Amino acid sequence: MEEIDRAIVAALTVDGRLSYTDLAEKVGLSVSAVHQRVRRLEQRGVINGYAARVSFEALDLPLTAFVAIRPFDPSQPDDAPERLAHLPEIDSCYSVAGEDFYLLLVRVAGPADLERVLQEIRTAANVTTRTTVVLSTPYEGRPPKIDLDPRTRVRPRTNGEAG
Amino acid sequence: MEEIDRAIVAALTVDGRLSYTDLAEKVGLSVSAVHQRVRRLEQRGVINGYAARVSFEALDLPLTAFVAIRPFDPSQPDDAPERLAHLPEIDSCYSVAGEDFYLLLVRVAGPADLERVLQEIRTAANVTTRTTVVLSTPYEGRPPKIDLDPRTRVRPRTNGEAG
DNA sequence: GCTGAAAAACCTCTACC
DNA sequence: GGTAGAGGTTTTTCAGC
């Protein structure tokens, strides 16, 4: 992706409600041009949507936990993500390398709720769970590092490639 | 928090760019009243900000990893989060129960970049690392479950409390 | 805290380069 | 791809309840 588009995306990850006027000023284009670029970024799926960043404590979801899962029967088809998607307590689902198959990020009201969700996860996906409780969250969901300079930009490099 | 405020927050976690006009229609209040409530929610920190949801692949950050850390010397003051905050590759930092002290969510361009970041983490916070690579992300950052009905709402309950 | 209205700012589209 | 301008909508503020 190109420089100005990256600057637009970077600005919108910091403040998703920036007006097109402010965006235009930031990247040095006209309002219409910026608007056009944002619409293209949305269409191409570079921008998937916008969300408010909220305090989960204030929403009565003060307990966060990571739940690592692996199937009871590894020979069965592995469709855990779809089987678990209906559980609203699951914030994220990552397929991971290592001993576990998936790592889930879960948010609940308290221990009793966590117990219920773990049972629902086990029965819905036929898996065992290993849970790590989050005690506090120093920071979360920070804006990603977006390199704006095309010359210093790090391109992913496989291990075997020469420098 | 009260019912209408919860409805407002719920709507903004799904679409952070909803206009006050649309919000007002959704929750059945006037535009001014909704605007006032949103400003209060922002002031009280219930809403911390707004962000675009982006494709990290498109931003040349296709490699995600969880990095569990624990100090070399457990007797030293534990200020890892502050010591690591300057690293833009770290998306989130969770203090966790269990064998590790913190769990970091890291996003980088590729393996070479991950190696560099791991070294920076180790030297900056004087910790050992154990890394779990994310292979794919079925879903991430879904809107939280916000119970709107004050009668069914689950209040956090300690284990010893009677039902 | 809510309503309603008015002014300012913004969004969106069209015409043109 | 870009700019510029016009018209409709939204944001924001304020008086009144």
Side-chain angles (χ1 to χ4, degrees):
Chain A
M1 201 173 42
E2 169 265 10
E3 207 175 333
I4 296 183
D5 280 346
R6 296 174 76 91
I8 290 173
V9 174
L12 288 175
T13 58
V14 174
D15 181 359
R17 293 201 82 153
L18 265 183
S19 70
Y20 294 114
T21 307
D22 289 347
L23 258 185
E25 201 171 333
K26 261 182 200 278
V27 305
L29 284 184
S30 70
V31 172
S32 317
V34 165
H35 191 199
Q36 211 175 120
R37 278 170 179 264
V38 171
R39 282 172 52 96
R40 267 208 309 281
L41 289 166
E42 290 170 352
Q43 282 183 332
R44 287 166 42 201
V46 176
I47 295 174
N48 288 306
Y50 303 86
R53 309 176 87 270
V54 299
S55 156
F56 296 103
E57 288 79 11
L59 295 172
D60 299 331
L61 296 171
L63 179 51
T64 299
F66 285 97
V67 180
I69 68 177
R70 63 185 85 173
F72 268 124
D73 179 358
S75 72
Q76 275 181 236
D78 178 11
D79 52 358
E82 303 99 275
R83 285 173 173 277
L84 298 173
H86 71 282
L87 293 174
E89 293 87 354
I90 301 179
D91 175 291
S92 304
C93 172
Y94 301 93
S95 168
V96 292
E99 301 168 25
D100 300 301
F101 279 45
Y102 295 96
L103 198 55
L104 309 175
L105 177 52
V106 167
R107 301 189 199 274
V108 292
D113 224 22
L114 179 57
E115 184 177 28
R116 175 185 56 76
V117 172
L118 288 174
Q119 289 168 353
E120 288 179 356
I121 289 172
R122 287 192 281 257
T123 60
N126 201 37
V127 293
T128 63
T129 63
R130 194 167 44 81
T131 300
T132 301
V133 170
V134 172
L135 304 172
S136 72
T137 303
Y139 34 90
E140 187 175 28
R142 303 199 301 176
K145 170 203 173 202
I146 298 181
D147 194 344
L148 298 177
D149 186 346
R151 300 188 308 174
T152 64
R153 194 175 307 155
V154 182
R155 245 171 305 292
R157 189 174 295 180
T158 52
N159 285 330
E161 228 171 312
Chain B
M1 200 173 43
E2 168 265 9
E3 208 175 334
I4 296 183
D5 280 346
R6 295 175 77 90
I8 290 173
V9 174
L12 288 175
T13 58
V14 174
D15 181 359
R17 292 201 79 153
L18 264 184
S19 70
Y20 296 114
T21 310
D22 290 347
L23 258 185
E25 202 171 332
K26 261 183 201 276
V27 306
L29 283 183
S30 70
V31 172
S32 319
V34 166
H35 190 197
Q36 208 173 123
R37 277 170 179 263
V38 171
R39 282 173 53 95
R40 265 209 312 283
L41 288 166
E42 289 170 351
Q43 281 183 330
R44 286 167 41 201
V46 176
I47 296 174
N48 287 307
Y50 304 86
R53 309 176 87 269
V54 298
S55 156
F56 297 103
E57 288 79 11
L59 294 172
D60 301 330
L61 296 171
L63 180 50
T64 300
F66 286 96
V67 180
I69 67 176
R70 64 185 84 172
F72 267 125
D73 180 358
S75 71
Q76 274 181 237
D78 177 11
D79 52 358
E82 303 98 274
R83 284 172 173 278
L84 297 172
H86 71 282
L87 293 174
E89 293 88 353
I90 301 180
D91 175 289
S92 305
C93 172
Y94 301 93
S95 168
V96 291
E99 300 169 26
D100 299 302
F101 279 46
Y102 295 96
L103 198 55
L104 308 175
L105 176 52
V106 167
R107 301 189 199 275
V108 292
D113 225 21
L114 179 57
E115 184 177 25
R116 174 185 57 77
V117 172
L118 288 175
Q119 290 169 353
E120 290 180 355
I121 289 172
R122 288 192 282 256
T123 59
N126 201 34
V127 294
T128 63
T129 63
R130 194 168 42 81
T131 300
T132 302
V133 170
V134 172
L135 304 170
S136 72
T137 303
Y139 34 89
E140 187 176 27
R142 303 200 302 177
K145 169 204 174 200
I146 298 180
D147 194 345
L148 299 177
D149 185 346
R151 300 187 310 175
T152 64
R153 192 176 308 153
V154 183
R155 245 170 306 291
R157 188 174 294 180
T158 52
N159 286 330
E161 227 172 311

